[in-house]
Structure formats: structure tokens, C-alpha cells
Amino acid sequence: MDNSIAYVGEHAWAGQLGHWLTVISFTGALFALISYVLYTRTQDLGWRSVGRIAFRAHSIAILGIVVTLFVMLFNHWFAYDYVWKHSNTEMPLRYIASCFWEGQEGSFLLWAFWTMVLGNLLIWRAKSWEGPVLAVFALVQIFLATMLLGIYVFDVKVGSSPFMLIRDLPENIGLPWTKLPNYLTIIPQFSDGRGLNPLLQNYWMVIHPPTLFLGFASTLVPFAFAIAGLWTRRVKEWMEPALPWTFFGIGILGLGILMGGAWAYEALSFGGFWAWDPVENASLVPWLTLVGAGHLMLINKRKDTSLFTTFFLSLITFLMVLYSTFMTRSGVLGDTSVHSFTGEGMLAGLLIFMLTFVVISVAALNQNRSDRLFYIGISLVMFVLGITLQVQVPAIILFGAVSIIMTVVAYRKGSFRRQEEEELLSREFWLFIGSLVLMLSAAQITFSTSMPVFNLLLAPFHGAFESLHDLTGWGWAHDLAQHNLAPPVEAKAHYNKWQIPFAFIVAMLVAIGQYLRYKKTDRKKFFRELRISFFGALLLTALCVWWLNYRLAEGNIVALLFASWFAVLSNAFYIPLVLKGKLSNAGPSMAHVGFAMVLLGSVISMSREHKVSRNTSGPVLSYLNKDFNDGQDMLLYVGDTVPVGDYFVTFKGKRQVGVNLLYDMDYFTAEPRSYSAGDTVRVRSMLFIAKNDHTAGNNFIVDQPDHWAPLETFTRSQLWNTPDWKPRRPGAKEFQLEPMVQLNPRFGNVAEPSTKHWLDRDLYTHIRYAKLDTAADGYMPARLYEKNVGDTIVTPTCVILIDSIRTVQDSVTISRLGPDFTVYILDMRVRDLYDEHRWFEAQPVVIYHNGQNVGSKGFDIPELDVKFDLESVKGNQVGLNVSEREFVIMQAIIFPGINILWIGVILMTLGSFVAVRQRVRKKGGKKRAVKES
Amino acid sequence: MKRSHIIALVIIAVAIAALISSLNDSSSYASLTEAFEQPGREFHVVGTLDRSEPIVYEPSVNASLTKFAMVDLNGRKCYVNLAMAKPNDLERSERLVLIGEADANGEFHAKDMLMKCPSKYNEEHQVTAGL
């Protein structure tokens, strides 16, 4: 921080401004917190005014930070670490937004931005709830601003600022170059930034993060209202204003999560839209609990039958957002996720952020004052002990146990317990059950994702579990003692085992839920209304089972299919049947149809996705290991036409467009192949001759008796030269796909898939391997064959017969080169491996001088896309370099029914918004009515 | 017995079952020594690519098989059959997590692999500038 040097071109003012704005936003939030707490306690409107001014100041500061960071990125001020790390000059400008939130700091800023926007909307709308709700918002903003401060308090770094100059980074302080006033111009590294990770240079990455973070930010609204309700002892009233916000959050968060899925499907090459990755799970869990919370609010507005669960789910949703933030950003996930952030020293800050809100939640639930004080006291003691005695893990475990006990105490002592039992056939009972199932589903995902956290928590108990193992011989005790749990190897199977039954119950409840009445349902009417949907769903499920060929062992999947169809139909029929076609009230039905379609699309596409690319050459992989799978990747030579699924594909070649290397793949229809009498074909190691003209069926064994007679005798070369029997041949060109590789020397090259969409299925293809450094002539690196004259070489594309070596030492050669030179010419015949009639001749040449290879003249056969280079001649032995034409390894996957999923997402989001709009209007209408009377 | 009690019991039972199942299905991080002590059991093994050995990937022989050698965190080396096309950045990887099992012949069969490449997220800013 040497101010005496006048640095050139640094734009230091921007960093200063950004830093001061961060400080203002922090202070503003702090003042807003204090004022709103005082306002809530005293109801003094003066404090509310101060709170509003402070929160507005905070808001303007946050806006200023956002603008400053954008200006820095837009102008490529690479003196700043954040700009240098996340952008460069080559990158298209439209991805500036992706740079903004690529880093830890930028995404916290995005979160703070949305929380700020929602806070301002609540100042405008929340009325009597403004005090406590905004106090909670201000506290969250204090923590988020802290994450951006990047200052040192007693040698502990607090947060990480996006406004750091590279020369001010701790690792650079004191280095000689930081004393140069013109370091930006003389050090070449500063002329351009590191650039954006190619995976994020995608339009989904421009819209997915803001949507997801708006979803995360909106989970704070029900949390804040729940706290407000407990704080101001209005334990039921808070749900009315919180309800539309909650459903807004459900819609936005759901959309954000599935946009992430769309990004993965469109831009990433892990082959699918959902992989149960910890980062994906971390966003799904809060959505599940939020859905539970929202639906319980619907009941409790009318009856207080499950008040405690409503509070619990509303509070836990935001806590799960904090937990997932902690998991994905503190670095604890480490090796378990490919796309988590690394630590950057955020662990302590995030942990304190999360635990503070746990304390607030549990303390608020305890309505008994002495219990509350006891709990807060214990928490503080744990905090102090944990830090001073360096026993964080036991302190956290003890704190967790006390928090759970105090939650139970709050439930037993508080006024949440319901008095009466509900009717079995009532909406409130089944909504309650549904919310519990959602909670269990969230809990299961959380358990399985939390392995790295378990490892941290288990570490201090190494000795205890080890002695338990010694005493009892229990294997699991030993495993726990090692505290090195890893996520399940078969992640998909593990999660599906639990989540399919949960999804089944939820979908069944979605199907019947709206037909149930509050309090008591007319049994006869209920069954009559649902009858069509039930039988319709049975029929559609049967069709699906027939179309997609489900087996008996897949009963759970078929059950979920049925439940999803049932939910689609019953909710769709609800609109004409019960709502009489009034679309403004149809929001919930629409959202439910959408949700059920998301389930349906996921179940169909995930259970019936299949790789149509096959490894057809070489040893079978399952010999190596029983779990190894051959049906994965296929080898495509340039120019080859090979079957893939119901099509034939030709790899035409590659071309470069900007930073992308596009591989042109033409797809042709597969036509039945016709054989005429007298054609011979090979099947395994037998030859057959056609008895008559016919069109091939799908199976040779079926065709054989009528159309083929086995050849009794044949020579080896006949066997070799005869083509395989093939049922189909390529027909007309249907479409073209262009899977590509994005070249990025700094981050590594990234393959991006290319997908053909049909109404009922997708063909998803991506490059798994490609030699990018092929020479300009399009040949692969050569392979050396050492053979003798008379030998045969079989390469993947051709058969080479080495006929003879000629030594040329005639007068012309001698006069041109001199007497010490010897010229060898290799005479070869080359045959296309796939066509026994295509023969070519080749004469590669090598020149020796006193026994040393001094030069050679290669020989190309462009028709076969192969190139020969004679490397050595030693008597009868020759070394021949063969360069094959270019190839790629491609994977092709069919995803059936995936469009059902995408349509479902759109319907679910639209439905949620229609429902929110209708709720807000109804509320407005009520108020107008009061005013008029 | 009230219905709410039954529900509570079911919930607790399912939650416990889910927790146990998660622990049951979980794999373990292990060293190569541990993996070879229990051939056939699936582990996550963390290590680095042994750059002194060649990476063998012959698509014309088998497009889904990559062979290379790795060294685990304790320095033990072993040969790996990875049932995948060669990842483009394998050479530049700084850390590998192999998911698979050891066999009795001293080779490790991995069906999946996670890679950390040095530049992905946390490349250090290096300014040497010849000063």
C-alpha cells in the first residue's frame, strides 16, 4: 500500500470506490438491523424511518458495487485480481455477466443483490411486518457484505473482496515488481486476463445463476416471516403475507434448478441433465422443504393443525440454503464434486453465518423466555469454548445436540400442538403427510451428500470407534473410525432407491390433493371425480410399459409412471371439472401438471436413456472387470459410415469456427438392405450364399432358412474378403449434428454436445476423445510397423502386402547424389479393408548415405486416406510408418421423452406465477372491499 | 395409540433407515494398499498420474479403455485400467480420484474418474517478469 508511487493505468479509483461502497453497504445493513430491532420492540415510527434510510443506503451501495464491478469487467482492467481471473479480451462481450458471477465474490454479490431487491419490495408491501422481517433481512445482508469485505481483523481474513489489485494480494506484497509505476505495461501477463472457464461461456450461464440466486434469496422471505411471527407472537398471522412469496420462491427456485439441468444437458458432457452431484443436490433440498412449507401454510391459514411443522419447514429451508452454501463454497466437498468452489478461506465465515441462523431459529421457536435464554447461553459458551480451546468439532456436535433437544422442548412446551385428530379423508391431513414425505426426501439427500461433513465430524472420535471395533469386531465401527467416507459409487442407483418411492407418494398426493376438501370430503363425490383420471392413467401407463418395454423388476419405476400420469390427468381435469374453466384460478392445477410432467419426463428419460454408440472392435471390456461396459464409445474415421441406433452416421470432417472445433456428422436413414441371388456374406466365421433376391430382415437366424445356403468349402482369403451380413444400409441424409470441442489452452479443451431433438426423444452426441493436434493434412500421428518382405500388415483401415524392395543405384542417382547414396523403393499393394476390389499400389522411398537414413519420400493414397513413410530398410526387414486418416471417439445417447420434462418446467413455473398473481389479487380485492364498506 | 404417534414412528423409522442406507452405500477413500488388501471392494482412491509411464489409449483396439499408472498419496504405484475414453486433459491433471476396485493381479480397474486440473479454478497468479 505504497501511496508514494504514481501507478500508471491502474484505475485504482474503481477499487477504492468498490471497497468503500462495500463498507457503506455493511454499515447500512448494521444500522438497519439496529433500527428495525428497536422499531419492533418499541413500535416507535422514528426508528422505522431510520431503518428505511439505512436499508436504502445499503441498497444504493450494493447497486454501486454491482455497477463498479461491471465497469471493471467491461473495460478489462486487468490490474484487478477478479477481472484478471475471470475475463479476458478475446471473450465475447455477452458473457461479461458470466464472468461477474463465476467467482465466489461475484456470486455472493448476486445473492446480496437479490436479497436487497426483495428487502425493498418488503419495505413497500410488508406493512406491520416490516420491522421484524427487515431486521432479519438486514442481518443476512450484514453477513453477505462481510463475505465481500476482504479485510483483516486480528490477522484473520474476513471475506474476500472482488476489488483487490493484484499487486495488493498478500502473496505479492513486497515483490520488487509491485514498486514499478508502469508495471501494467511492462509485464506482459497484465495485458490480458486468464479468461472465463469455457464451460461457462454459454447462454445458460447468463440466465441460470441469477434465477437460482433469486430463488435462494426468496427462501429468506418465509424464514423472515416465520421469525417475525414468533417474535411478535402472531404465530398464525404471518402465513397470510408470506404465502405468495413462498410460492414465488417455489416457482423461481424450481426454474433455476432445472435451468442448471438444461445447462448441463446442453453444454456439459456428462451425458444427462441430472447426476445427483452434491452441488445439484444442494439446490434441490431447499426446494423440497420450501414446497412442504408453502403447502402447510395453505392449511394453517384455516386451521392450526400442523403449525409447528410449518414453522420448522419455513425455517429449515433457509438454513438448508446456508448449509448448501457452506458445503459448496467452503471447500469441504473437496474431491466429491467436480464443480464446487475451492475454499479460499471462507470456511469459518460461512460456518458462523450458518450457525448464527440456527441459533436464531431455535431460540425463536422457544417461546418460554428462560428456555430461550438458556439455549442462547449454551450456544455462546460452545462458541467461546470452541474457539479458545480449539475443540471446534466437539463443540459443534454438542451445539447440534442441544439445538435438536431445544427444538423438541419448544414443540412440547409451545402452543403448537394440535388438540384434535383430523379426518382421514381431508385435505389438511394428506397435505401434512405430503410435507413430511418431502422432508424425509430432503433428509435422505442431505445425509448422502454430507459424507465429507460426516468425515469432519467423525475425525475426533477416531479412537472411540476404533476401540468399539476392537471390543465388538463390528466392521462399520472400523469404517467410521477411518473417517474417510466417500459418496456412493453408484450414485444414481443409491438416490433412486429412496427418491422413487418418495416421489411416488408425493405424485399420488398431488393427484388427489385438490379433490380433497378441507375438514371433510364427500367420499362418493371424491371417487367419482377421480375415476376418469385413474383409469386414464392406468391406460397411459400400460402404453408406456409397452412402448418402452418395462420389465417386472422395474415395478417401482412403473408405479411412479402411473402416479405421475395420474397427477397429470387429475390436475388437468380439475380445470374444466371443478374450476369450470376459470383459468385465473388454475395456477395450482397448472403447476401440479407441470410438476408431474417433470417427474414423468425424468423417469422416462433416466430409466430409458441408452447409449447407441458401441465399441465394436477389440477385446470385450467386461473380461477385464465385470462392471466395465462396452456400449459406450464408438470410433469414427473421417469418411466412415457406421450404424448408430436407427441411423447411419458419417464423420465428414472438422472445421474451426472461432475457438470452436466443429465435427461435422451427417446422419442418414437406415434402409433395409437388399441381397440378390448369388451374393455371399460372412456370419461369424461361416460363409453363406443367397438363394434368391430378397430384402434382409432384422435377424439373420430368421432369414437364413428361406434365403441363405451355407457354403461348404471356402478358402481363408474368401472368408477374409467376404463382407459381413448387414441388415441395413444408409439411405437418404436426414440431418446433421456438430458436436464440438472448445479450444482453450489455459483451462483445457472442453467438449460440447450436439443434440437432435424430436418430439418424443433426443439424440445426444458428444466427442469423448479427439486428437486435436493433427497436422494440416488431416492425418493422425504415424504408427511404425516393422515387418519383412512378403508380410502382410493390417491397419484399422487397410491391408498392406509388402512385395519387394528395390535398390536403385543407377547412373542418374549416382550422378545426382553421389556414389555413397543408396535409394530403396518399397513395392507394396494396398487394399481397402472394407472393399476387396479396391487395390492400390504404393512405392515409398528412403535414401541411405553410408548406412544412415538421410531422407525419404512418402507415398499418399488419398482414396484410402492413408499415408506411408518408409523409415528404415535392413536387409529384408523394413520399418514402415503408416498414418491413418483422422478419427474421433464419439458417444451417442438416446433420451426418450425428455421434452415432457422441459414442457413440465415451463408449466410449473407459469402455474406458480398465475397462483401467486391470483393470491396477491385476492388479497388486494379483500382490502378494497374493506375500504369501500 | 393416536394416529399422530403412528406417523411419528414411521417417520423416525424411515429416517433411520435412510441414514443407515446412506452409510451402507457409501464408498470409502482409501490408499492403494487398502484397496489391494480387499480386492473386489469398491473404493475411491486419490492420487496423481505417474508421468514416467506412458498413457496407453488405442481407440482402434478399444475406444473405451485407457491404461496408465498412478501413484497414490502414500507413494505406492499401480497400473490402472480405466473404462473410459481418455480424458483430454489427463496429462495435465494434478490430482485424480479413481472410483473402482483392485484385482488380484495387482491392477486397478476404475469405472470412473474425477480429475482436478491446475487451472480450473485456483491457478495462482504467477508473475515472474524476469526481475
Side-chain angles (χ1 to χ4, degrees):
Chain A
M1 321 282 170
D2 200 338
N3 291 325
S4 60
I5 304 170
Y7 290 102
V8 182
E10 223 175 25
H11 306 283
W13 61 268
Q16 297 282 329
L17 177 68
H19 195 76
W20 282 111
L21 286 172
T22 316
V23 173
I24 293 171
S25 81
F26 175 81
T27 330
L30 190 65
F31 272 92
L33 171 69
I34 296 166
S35 316
Y36 274 121
V37 168
L38 289 173
Y39 166 55
T40 309
R41 296 182 74 99
T42 62
Q43 289 300 310
D44 177 349
L45 289 179
W47 283 119
R48 190 182 71 176
S49 308
V50 179
R52 284 183 177 181
I53 292 166
F55 200 82
R56 296 243 160 86
H58 160 83
S59 306
I60 291 163
I62 291 276
L63 274 179
I65 297 170
V66 171
V67 171
T68 310
L69 190 54
F70 263 119
V71 167
M72 280 161 50
L73 283 165
F74 195 79
N75 289 312
H76 304 302
W77 291 340
F78 295 123
Y80 290 98
D81 190 45
Y82 198 84
V83 180
W84 187 87
K85 264 190 186 142
H86 301 292
S87 73
N88 64 10
T89 49
E90 275 168 33
M91 184 192 65
L93 269 186
R94 59 182 180 276
Y95 296 132
I96 286 281
S98 313
C99 304
F100 183 92
W101 40 70
E102 186 194 38
Q104 187 88 273
E105 299 85 352
S107 58
F108 273 119
L109 188 52
L110 183 59
W111 188 1
F113 171 77
W114 283 126
T115 312
M116 175 276 280
V117 170
L118 292 176
N120 280 293
L121 286 174
L122 284 164
I123 290 180
W124 174 46
R125 300 285 296 187
K127 312 258 157 30
S128 69
W129 297 95
E130 183 181 335
V133 166
L134 262 293
V136 175
F137 268 70
L139 183 60
V140 170
Q141 292 298 72
I142 290 173
F143 275 102
L144 290 178
T146 311
M147 299 292 166
L148 297 171
L149 272 178
I151 53 164
Y152 286 83
V153 181
F154 308 118
D155 281 349
V156 178
K157 191 181 175 203
V158 178
S160 170
S161 168
F163 299 108
M164 281 296 268
L165 284 165
I166 290 172
R167 70 173 161 86
D168 284 340
L169 291 178
E171 64 265 32
N172 292 339
I173 282 187
L175 291 182
W177 64 263
T178 61
K179 303 279 187 293
L180 300 169
N182 54 347
Y183 72 97
L184 281 176
T185 43
I186 59 167
I187 299 176
Q189 278 93 330
F190 285 103
S191 63
D192 204 353
R194 194 174 66 177
L196 179 64
N197 189 325
L199 291 173
L200 306 185
Q201 299 194 20
N202 184 284
Y203 59 93
W204 285 110
M205 264 298 130
V206 179
I207 56 172
H208 158 62
T211 315
L212 189 69
F213 275 95
L214 176 55
F216 282 155
S218 53
T219 61
L220 180 59
V221 184
F223 178 90
F225 271 104
I227 295 286
L230 289 163
W231 187 357
T232 57
R233 304 266 162 160
R234 292 182 281 178
V235 289
K236 269 186 72 179
E237 294 83 347
W238 63 276
M239 291 179 214
E240 184 75 42
L243 196 70
W245 294 99
T246 308
F247 280 93
F248 169 78
I250 291 171
I252 282 286
L253 188 56
L255 180 67
I257 293 167
L258 288 161
M259 273 182 174
W263 168 58
Y265 186 67
E266 292 286 324
L268 301 187
S269 285
F270 67 70
F273 59 92
W274 194 261
W276 295 109
D277 181 275
V279 174
E280 296 169 347
N281 293 349
S283 58
L284 178 63
V285 167
W287 185 80
L288 292 172
T289 51
L290 189 65
V291 171
H295 285 83
L296 284 186
M297 286 179 198
L298 287 172
I299 323 172
N300 284 281
K301 275 199 324 169
R302 291 161 204 264
K303 281 182 81 183
D304 45 354
T305 47
S306 44
L307 206 51
F308 184 80
T309 321
T310 318
F311 272 115
F312 184 78
L313 284 173
S314 303
L315 296 175
I316 201 88
T317 300
F318 183 65
L319 296 181
M320 289 318 290
V321 168
L322 294 181
Y323 180 64
S324 63
T325 310
F326 169 73
M327 288 230 291
T328 50
R329 285 145 186 280
S330 65
V332 293
L333 279 181
D335 292 318
T336 60
S337 172
V338 266
H339 48 278
S340 64
F341 290 86
T342 48
E344 292 173 25
M346 292 250 177
L347 195 137
L350 288 167
L351 195 61
I352 292 172
F353 188 5
M354 178 173 73
L355 296 182
T356 306
F357 277 86
V358 174
V359 173
I360 291 172
S361 307
V362 179
L365 279 174
N366 277 281
Q367 289 163 313
N368 185 322
R369 193 184 150 82
S370 56
D371 287 347
R372 189 162 64 231
L373 291 178
F374 165 78
Y375 173 70
I376 295 173
I378 290 266
S379 306
L380 284 176
V381 169
M382 289 298 144
F383 180 73
V384 172
L385 282 183
I387 287 188
T388 51
L389 299 181
Q390 290 295 312
V391 283
Q392 290 95 335
V393 173
I396 288 172
I397 292 177
L398 209 57
F399 166 73
V402 173
S403 299
I404 292 171
I405 293 168
M406 291 310 289
T407 309
V408 176
V409 169
Y411 171 64
R412 309 277 313 176
K413 283 195 183 170
S415 51
F416 307 112
R417 297 176 77 187
R418 62 198 132 142
Q419 303 307 315
E420 74 221 86
E421 290 270 294
E422 296 117 343
E423 277 292 318
L424 196 58
L425 209 60
S426 69
R427 195 185 276 190
E428 51 267 38
F429 177 71
W430 290 107
L431 272 176
F432 176 65
I433 295 293
S435 300
L436 291 182
V437 173
L438 286 171
M439 198 163 79
L440 280 175
S441 154
Q444 193 273 327
I445 299 171
T446 308
F447 286 151
S448 295
T449 315
S450 298
M451 295 298 167
V453 178
F454 290 164
N455 286 339
L456 286 180
L457 296 180
L458 284 169
F461 302 98
H462 169 78
F465 279 113
E466 206 54 271
S467 24
L468 185 67
H469 171 66
D470 291 342
L471 274 174
T472 57
W474 289 334
W476 59 266
H478 178 71
D479 286 349
L480 289 182
Q482 297 299 312
H483 59 85
N484 51 12
L485 301 170
V489 174
E490 299 289 347
K492 238 177 175 174
H494 169 75
Y495 286 104
N496 288 350
K497 181 167 73 187
W498 285 94
Q499 296 302 323
I500 287 177
F502 288 143
F504 169 76
I505 301 175
V506 170
M508 286 304 279
L509 294 177
V510 168
I512 63 165
Q514 292 217 77
Y515 291 89
L516 290 165
R517 296 282 159 271
Y518 287 106
K519 303 226 163 90
K520 202 163 165 59
T521 310
D522 179 354
R523 204 170 281 258
K524 267 192 189 150
K525 193 170 166 233
F526 172 74
F527 286 115
R528 193 177 60 234
E529 282 173 336
L530 277 171
R531 204 165 46 198
I532 323 166
S533 312
F534 182 86
F535 289 109
L538 269 185
L539 186 73
L540 286 167
T541 310
L543 279 175
C544 277
V545 169
W546 172 74
W547 173 46
L548 295 163
N549 204 5
Y550 283 100
R551 297 182 310 274
L552 205 61
E554 294 169 302
N556 57 346
I557 292 172
V558 175
L560 181 52
L561 265 182
F562 166 75
S564 308
W565 275 123
F566 189 25
V568 169
L569 293 181
S570 73
N571 282 288
F573 288 151
Y574 192 77
I575 301 171
L577 256 150
V578 182
L579 299 175
K580 309 294 178 212
K582 261 188 83 181
L583 282 179
S584 57
N585 288 339
S589 307
M590 238 166 101
H592 287 156
V593 171
F595 170 74
M597 285 176 77
V598 168
L599 281 182
L600 199 61
S602 321
V603 170
I604 293 178
S605 65
M606 281 172 103
S607 67
R608 280 296 174 268
E609 65 160 278
H610 56 283
K611 299 192 171 99
V612 286
S613 46
R614 305 221 149 259
N615 162 45
T616 46
S617 56
V620 179
L621 270 186
S622 44
Y623 284 148
L624 277 171
N625 185 285
K626 59 181 180 355
D627 293 329
F628 282 7
N629 183 358
D630 284 292
Q632 288 236 10
D633 308 301
M634 62 196 232
L635 170 75
L636 273 178
Y637 282 98
V638 70
D640 265 9
T641 303
V642 295
V644 48
D646 297 332
Y647 292 90
F648 279 89
V649 61
T650 300
F651 170 27
K652 273 177 45 186
K654 66 168 186 242
R655 62 200 155 88
Q656 187 160 3
V657 179
V659 293
N660 296 323
L661 215 49
L662 276 71
Y663 291 82
D664 290 322
M665 304 284 175
D666 280 358
Y667 286 79
F668 301 88
T669 53
E671 308 286 346
R673 190 180 281 266
S674 302
Y675 284 103
S676 26
D679 283 351
T680 50
V681 293
R682 179 175 61 190
V683 176
R684 296 212 179 82
S685 53
M686 299 253 292
L687 291 188
F688 293 86
I689 185 156
K691 294 195 267 190
N692 44 25
D693 293 1
H694 70 279
T695 303
N698 281 328
N699 195 333
F700 185 77
I701 298 170
V702 179
D703 275 15
Q704 197 259 321
D706 291 339
H707 305 299
W708 298 99
L711 273 182
E712 299 300 333
T713 53
F714 46 84
T715 61
R716 266 190 72 165
S717 76
Q718 255 179 307
L719 180 66
W720 177 249
N721 288 328
T722 307
D724 280 321
W725 178 83
K726 282 177 190 142
R728 294 179 300 173
R729 62 174 178 81
K733 183 178 161 184
E734 278 278 282
F735 57 93
Q736 182 175 3
L737 289 180
E738 298 165 341
M740 63 184 190
V741 175
Q742 199 183 127
L743 303 172
N744 192 314
R746 204 182 285 272
F747 288 93
N749 304 316
V750 172
E752 277 191 37
S754 177
T755 306
K756 171 73 184 170
H757 305 274
W758 288 277
L759 213 53
D760 64 333
R761 68 192 191 283
D762 276 9
L763 174 67
Y764 169 103
T765 66
H766 59 132
I767 300 293
R768 297 269 282 177
Y769 176 83
K771 265 257 188 265
L772 303 169
D773 52 349
T774 48
D777 58 1
Y779 284 96
M780 300 299 239
R783 182 192 298 225
L784 179 68
Y785 292 91
E786 288 183 320
K787 294 277 176 170
N788 293 316
V789 171
D791 282 354
T792 303
I793 301 171
V794 182
T795 76
T797 53
C798 57
V799 182
I800 305 160
L801 308 180
I802 304 173
D803 287 335
S804 60
I805 301 172
R806 279 183 284 148
T807 310
V808 184
Q809 259 183 322
D810 54 26
S811 55
V812 180
T813 321
I814 291 169
S815 69
R816 276 215 190 143
L817 295 171
D820 308 335
F821 289 86
T822 317
V823 177
Y824 295 102
I825 301 177
L826 189 66
D827 285 313
M828 324 188 295
R829 282 175 294 155
V830 184
R831 201 207 84 195
D832 188 342
L833 184 66
Y834 303 98
D835 186 345
E836 77 264 36
H837 302 300
R838 294 182 80 197
W839 284 95
F840 300 89
E841 288 186 347
Q843 285 93 29
V845 174
V846 66
I847 304 168
Y848 273 81
H849 178 248
N850 292 335
Q852 291 292 312
N853 176 344
V854 290
S856 67
K857 188 166 164 288
F859 198 97
D860 296 12
I861 303 180
E863 293 90 339
L864 287 180
D865 295 313
V866 68
K867 194 171 76 174
F868 305 103
D869 190 61
L870 193 53
E871 179 160 303
S872 63
V873 174
K874 278 193 204 96
N876 234 6
Q877 200 192 27
V878 295
L880 183 69
N881 275 314
V882 181
S883 309
E884 290 159 24
R885 54 196 163 140
E886 191 184 347
F887 64 79
V888 290
I889 305 297
M890 192 178 80
Q891 192 172 69
I893 311 173
I894 297 270
F895 286 99
I898 196 159
N899 282 335
I900 304 174
L901 170 82
W902 305 129
I903 297 170
V905 178
I906 296 167
L907 274 181
M908 189 166 81
T909 313
L910 282 179
S912 304
F913 292 155
V914 171
V916 171
R917 184 163 156 266
Q918 181 231 9
R919 292 234 161 252
V920 173
R921 276 186 146 190
K922 211 157 80 185
K923 222 163 74 181
K926 228 187 271 168
K927 228 166 289 150
R928 263 195 302 280
V930 172
K931 248 185 225 163
E932 277 160 18
S933 61
Chain B
M1 205 171 182
K2 272 164 68 179
R3 199 190 296 139
S4 56
H5 292 150
I6 301 171
I7 295 168
L9 281 180
V10 170
I11 298 279
I12 291 167
V14 173
I16 290 172
L19 181 60
I20 290 174
S21 139
S22 303
L23 292 177
N24 233 358
D25 284 358
S26 72
S27 167
S28 306
Y29 289 103
S31 64
L32 282 175
T33 313
E34 289 168 281
F36 279 102
E37 276 167 11
Q38 291 162 278
R41 181 173 164 189
E42 273 173 338
F43 286 107
H44 285 52
V45 179
V46 184
T48 51
L49 180 73
D50 183 349
R51 287 184 171 75
S52 65
E53 297 274 351
I55 299 169
V56 181
Y57 178 58
E58 301 218 20
S60 52
V61 177
N62 194 321
S64 305
L65 179 65
T66 310
K67 297 176 168 203
F68 57 92
M70 81 171 287
V71 177
D72 75 356
L73 299 178
N74 300 336
R76 179 168 165 169
K77 170 179 163 178
C78 87
Y79 290 94
V80 178
N81 296 312
L82 172 67
M84 260 169 43
K86 185 176 98 55
N88 274 323
D89 280 348
L90 183 56
E91 290 90 349
R92 20 187 287 154
S93 67
E94 65 173 15
R95 209 162 149 80
L96 305 173
V97 183
L98 289 162
I99 301 162
E101 57 189 56
D103 73 0
N105 308 325
E107 290 193 349
F108 192 84
H109 300 292
K111 49 178 167 183
D112 204 359
M113 182 173 77
L114 303 175
M115 263 182 358
K116 287 251 152 131
C117 286
S119 60
K120 278 272 155 64
Y121 288 109
N122 53 347
E123 187 179 49
E124 291 300 312
H125 189 85
Q126 284 164 355
V127 180
T128 40
L131 292 168

